[in-house]
Amino acid sequence: YMFRFSYILLAVFLFFPEAFAKTDLPGKRYIDLFPKLDIGIERTQVWDIEQGINGYIFLATNEGLGVFDGTRWNLYGGESSLIIRSLYYCQLTNEVYSGSVNEFGKWHQNRFGEFEYITLFRSTESQINQEFWRTGSPTESTNIYFQSDHAIYVYNAISGEIQSIRAEQNFRYMHIVNNHVLVQDGNWLMSVDS
């Protein structure tokens, strides 16, 4: 009787191993490898990742804006070769805002499904080099904040106005916390009105 039970148990293990496999192990994540893209994203550095409308994934890269729609990858470079450092997806306007080297702007999807770039601010040659490392907005706010080391620019998505807040020393680490914009200026933590 014991041998018969052992053979049945062995047959069940051999023919139905998935019934005994534990797939929800803590710390074990599902990883999806994408085939070779050959559009530039696989050869560049990714600085920021943001999720937007319909589950689109947006990547800030040294080559421009990378977009994954769930099926295809695309790379958009704007007017020129954009080195994008930061991203923010605004649910109110359904647009992606990007902070780059010496400029910031917004991306919107045209009727063909492609993303087009509109420059909102560009440093002139006489201005100091600015890299916009953080982009964000408090929930339900129409103000989008672009932070560089030397200034924070506040773009109002409704009126199109841009205001600037100059750093006393150097701005670092801007974050949105409980609808407040917090930033480090030198050794000080500041709250910027939203």
Side-chain angles (χ1 to χ4, degrees), residues 3-68:
F3 289 113
R4 178 187 259 173
F5 179 73
S6 296
Y7 284 124
I8 292 172
L9 192 59
L10 180 62
V12 169
F13 276 116
L14 289 175
F15 294 112
F16 305 105
E18 63 276 352
F20 300 96
K22 187 170 182 177
T23 58
D24 59 345
L25 295 174
K28 187 175 181 180
R29 302 286 186 235
Y30 176 76
I31 298 175
D32 194 2
L33 298 176
F34 296 99
K36 186 175 179 185
L37 303 174
D38 208 25
I39 61 170
I41 294 175
E42 70 278 5
R43 295 183 303 271
T44 189
Q45 187 168 9
V46 175
W47 294 102
D48 198 2
I49 301 173
E50 187 76 16
Q51 184 173 0
I53 192 169
N54 297 330
Y56 277 42
I57 303 296
F58 301 99
L59 305 175
T61 76
N62 285 344
E63 305 295 325
L65 179 70
V67 179
F68 181 64

Side-chain angles (χ1 to χ4, degrees), residues 2 5 21 28 34 38 41 44-45 57-58 87 90 93 109 120 134 143-144 157 165 169 173 177-178 185 187 190:
M2 188 63 154
F5 179 73
K28 187 175 181 180
F34 296 99
D38 208 25
I41 294 175
T44 189
Q45 187 168 9
I57 303 296
F58 301 99
L87 293 173
C90 180
T93 62
Q109 199 170 17
L120 300 174
R134 302 262 197 264
N143 289 334
I144 314 296
I165 303 165
Q169 295 177 23
Y173 312 116
V177 180
N178 292 331
D185 185 1
N187 292 327
M190 298 174 46

Side-chain angles (χ1 to χ4, degrees), residues 136-152:
S137 177
T139 307
E140 302 298 321
S141 175
T142 59
N143 289 334
I144 314 296
Y145 294 78
F146 298 89
Q147 179 244 315
S148 74
D149 289 344
H150 307 289
I152 293 175

Side-chain angles (χ1 to χ4, degrees), residues 63-65 75-82 107 115-118:
E63 305 295 325
L65 179 70
L75 184 63
Y76 301 98
E79 301 166 358
S80 59
S81 178
L82 282 176
W107 300 82
F115 285 85
E116 296 175 338
Y117 181 71
I118 299 169

Side-chain angles (χ1 to χ4, degrees), residues 97-180:
Y97 292 86
S98 62
S100 303
V101 175
N102 290 323
E103 72 179 273
F104 59 81
K106 64 181 178 178
W107 300 82
H108 71 277
Q109 199 170 17
N110 66 22
R111 63 187 177 121
F112 303 109
E114 297 175 340
F115 285 85
E116 296 175 338
Y117 181 71
I118 299 169
T119 302
L120 300 174
F121 170 85
R122 181 174 288 143
S123 293
T124 62
E125 290 181 24
S126 62
Q127 290 177 319
I128 194 162
N129 185 38
Q130 296 190 73
E131 294 189 39
F132 294 94
W133 288 101
R134 302 262 197 264
T135 303
S137 177
T139 307
E140 302 298 321
S141 175
T142 59
N143 289 334
I144 314 296
Y145 294 78
F146 298 89
Q147 179 244 315
S148 74
D149 289 344
H150 307 289
I152 293 175
Y153 291 87
V154 184
Y155 170 75
N156 185 291
I158 303 299
S159 69
E161 292 179 24
I162 297 176
Q163 298 176 346
S164 65
I165 303 165
R166 299 285 174 203
E168 292 285 326
Q169 295 177 23
N170 262 352
F171 282 138
R172 293 185 211 127
Y173 312 116
M174 182 183 80
H175 294 284
I176 313 297
V177 180
N178 292 331
N179 285 330
H180 295 284

